[in-house]
Structures are given as structure tokens and as C-alpha cells.
């Protein structure tokens, strides 16, 4: 059985005052069946981790450097995130692939650094609008997966998030059939690459404009084990119903 995961990605949003939502979330979901993770900006991780202490909510980072330490001004290592209280880190988000020119090799190295530091790597893949229109969606996903999957991936250490770029922050949600096609493909690829046991046990998240209003429909899709949520993870009013929908899904 794969434990479902509701992961929130605050991106470059939120201040110390917004951490109050963590308490509100914990009050509304004191013992969720699913795992709940919030990834605030790095500057808030330490405070966020203290704020959720004793609750069912975990804290993650949004990126890490692939090195352990060294002359990398402005960067943060996976071990630093872990020390601050993170238990997971997002790697290879399309905004990082675009804004920071991260390629598959870098993303794989980051995922490996995350595993080495004891963090769960949430590895993002997804096609652009142009790639989808050109009929290249599955080729792009296969290439990203092959290039950025860490060595020695384990079911505990790796989560894959399918995030079609055209659905991120746009209000456009992939159709259930589109999500199903990619998740089924990802599952088959994972089983082929990692063997039956690990391939079946790795969790697959959907991300891209997940909201309270569409969450139940998305969670009903086979092989969707949860969501990576941007905008709707910033408030308890939006994120709590998404957790409820995930807990209610079969
Ligand atoms: P969104 O972002 O929910 O705001 O579309 C999702 C993501 O980028 O992880």
C-alpha cells in the first residue's frame, strides 16, 4: 500500500506570519490518513519545523544543491535542509529547470544528495504545452525520468510528481484521462527500471492547479497517490479540503 501524500509548495511566497496556517491545518486534520508536507521558502523551514512539532505535518525544502558543501554562494545543501528540520525536498521543479537552467543531470545529482542526507526527494517531471501539442508528452516524461532518477532509488526516498507545465499556476487542470495516461506510463517505467516491488511502491503525485473544487476528481484517477499543490497550499482554507479529499479517496 502506498501512503498518500498531500504536498504543498509555497514557492517564493509567505512570511513568518503565514506559518499560522500550519496550526490551523493541524487543528483541522489532527490525524490524517495521508502524509501532509509543506515546503515553505528556505528561510522559514526552521521556524516551520518548530511550529509543526508534535503534529502530523512535515516540512520540506523546495530545492537543494547537489554538493555537500563548498564555494556555492547562495546555495543550500540537503544536509542543511535536514538540520533545519526538513524531511523532504522538491527537486527538478519546472520553474527551476527553466529559471535556473537545471538539466536532468543536475536534478539527478540533487536527488542523490537528498537521499544521502536522509531526505525524501520529490522529483518533478512534466511537458510543456508545445511538447504536448507536438505529441511528445510521453517521450519527454521518459527522457526526464531516465535522466533525473537517482541511483539506488527507494520507495521511501523518492516520490515522482507529474506536473504538466501548462497546468502550473494557470488554472488549467489536466483532464483525468491525460493524468491517467501519464501516471500509468510512469508506473510502467518505474517497474521496468526498478523492479516490481520498488516500482509499485513509489508514490506518484499530480501537480498543476489542484484546488478544493477539482481535488476529488483528480484523486479518483488510478495511480494518483496525492498532489503537489502550489497556490492552494498557502492557506488552510484551501489546503485542508484538499487533504480531506485525499483521505476520502479510495
Ligand atoms: P499550482 O502549482 O498548484 O499553483 O498550479 C503547482 C506546482 O508548481 O507545484
Amino acid at each position: 500500500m502506498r501512503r498518500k501524500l498531500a504536498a504543498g509548495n509555497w514557492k517564493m511566497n509567505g512570511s513568518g506570519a503565514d506559518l499560522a496556517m500550519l496550526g490551523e491545518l493541524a487543528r483541522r486534520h489532527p490525524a490524517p490518513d495521508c502524509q501532509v508536507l509543506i515546503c515553505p521558502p528556505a528561510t522559514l523551514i526552521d521556524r516551520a519545523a518548530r511550529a509543526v512539532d508534535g503534529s502530523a505535518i512535515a516540512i520540506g525544502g523546495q530545492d537543494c544543491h547537489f554538493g555537500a558543501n563548498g564555494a556555492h554562494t547562495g546555495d543550500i545543501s540537503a544536509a542543511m535542509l535536514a538540520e533545519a528540520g526538513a524531511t523532504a525536498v522538491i527537486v527538478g521543479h519546472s520553474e527551476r529547470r527553466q529559471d535556473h537552467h537545471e538539466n536532468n543531470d543536475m536534478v539527478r545529482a540533487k536527488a542523490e544528495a537528498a537521499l544521502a542526507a536522509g531526505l525524501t526527494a520529490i522529483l518533478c517531471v512534466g511537458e510543456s504545452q508545445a511538447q504536448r501539442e507536438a505529441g511528445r508528452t510521453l517521450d519527454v516524461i521518459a527522457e526526464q525520468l531516465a535522466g533525473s532518477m537517482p541511483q539506488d532509488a527507494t520507495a521511501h526516498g523518492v516520490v515522482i510528481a507529474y506536473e504538466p507545465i501548462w497546468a502550473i499556476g494557470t488554472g488549467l487542470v489536466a483532464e483525468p484521462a491525460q493524468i491517467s495516461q501519464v501516471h500509468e506510463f510512469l508506473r510502467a517505467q518505474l517497474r521496468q527500471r526498478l523492479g516490481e516491488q520498488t516500482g509499485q511502491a513509489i508514490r506518484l503525485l499530480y501537480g498543476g492547479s489542484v484546488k478544493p473544487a477539482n481535488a476529488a476528481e483528480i484523486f479518483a484517477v488510478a495511480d494518483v497517490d496525492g498532489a503537489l499543490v502550489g497556490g492552494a497550499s498557502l492557506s488552510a482554507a484551501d489546503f485542508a479540503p484538499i487533504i480531506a479529499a485525499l483521505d476520502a479517496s479510495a
Side-chain angles (χ1 to χ4, degrees):
M1 267 304 277
R2 298 185 292 267
R3 180 146 188 233
K4 299 193 173 178
L5 171 60
N9 172 12
W10 281 14
K11 309 190 180 184
M12 199 170 73
N13 297 296
S15 64
D18 296 304
L19 294 175
M21 76 81 80
L22 297 169
E24 173 66 15
L25 214 53
R27 265 190 299 282
R28 290 170 73 154
H29 289 290
D33 291 332
C34 67
Q35 223 175 345
V36 178
L37 175 76
I38 293 285
C39 302
T43 48
L44 292 176
I45 289 175
D46 179 76
R47 282 168 71 184
R50 287 168 208 260
V52 300
D53 195 28
S55 82
I57 303 170
I59 299 300
Q62 299 175 11
D63 174 53
C64 64
H65 193 273
F66 45 78
N69 48 50
H72 304 292
T73 303
D75 277 313
I76 298 173
S77 75
M80 291 170 184
L81 293 177
E83 192 190 15
T87 55
V89 61
I90 299 167
V91 295
H93 190 283
S94 59
E95 286 154 15
R96 300 234 26 121
R97 289 181 189 260
Q98 276 167 8
D99 299 354
H100 298 270
H101 311 290
E102 292 187 5
N103 60 31
N104 287 330
D105 285 344
M106 291 163 73
V107 174
R108 191 189 62 243
K110 285 173 183 233
E112 286 168 359
L115 293 184
L119 300 178
T120 296
I122 301 178
L123 171 56
C124 303
V125 297
E127 83 286 1
S128 67
Q129 180 75 46
Q131 289 165 332
R132 176 163 282 275
E133 281 167 7
R136 295 192 51 234
T137 298
L138 297 184
D139 291 341
V140 170
I141 301 289
E143 192 184 302
Q144 288 176 337
L145 197 67
S148 52
M149 193 71 174
Q151 291 276 334
D152 304 325
T154 61
H156 173 74
V158 177
V159 173
I160 309 288
Y162 167 53
E163 299 208 304
I165 296 169
W166 47 272
I168 295 176
T170 57
L172 290 173
V173 192
E175 296 290 327
Q178 294 173 319
I179 300 174
S180 167
Q181 184 201 26
V182 173
H183 280 232
E184 202 178 291
F185 178 75
L186 279 169
R187 180 66 65 207
Q189 292 272 311
L190 290 173
R191 287 164 61 184
Q192 203 182 330
R193 296 178 61 83
L194 304 170
E196 192 62 24
Q197 204 177 348
T198 306
Q200 279 290 9
I202 287 186
R203 292 172 292 177
L204 302 180
L205 309 183
Y206 167 79
S209 298
V210 176
K211 308 286 178 208
N214 59 30
E217 188 183 24
I218 292 165
F219 296 149
V221 176
D223 261 317
V224 170
D225 303 312
L228 181 54
V229 183
S233 71
L234 290 166
S235 77
D238 285 331
F239 203 50
I242 292 173
I243 295 168
L246 188 56
D247 271 357
S249 68

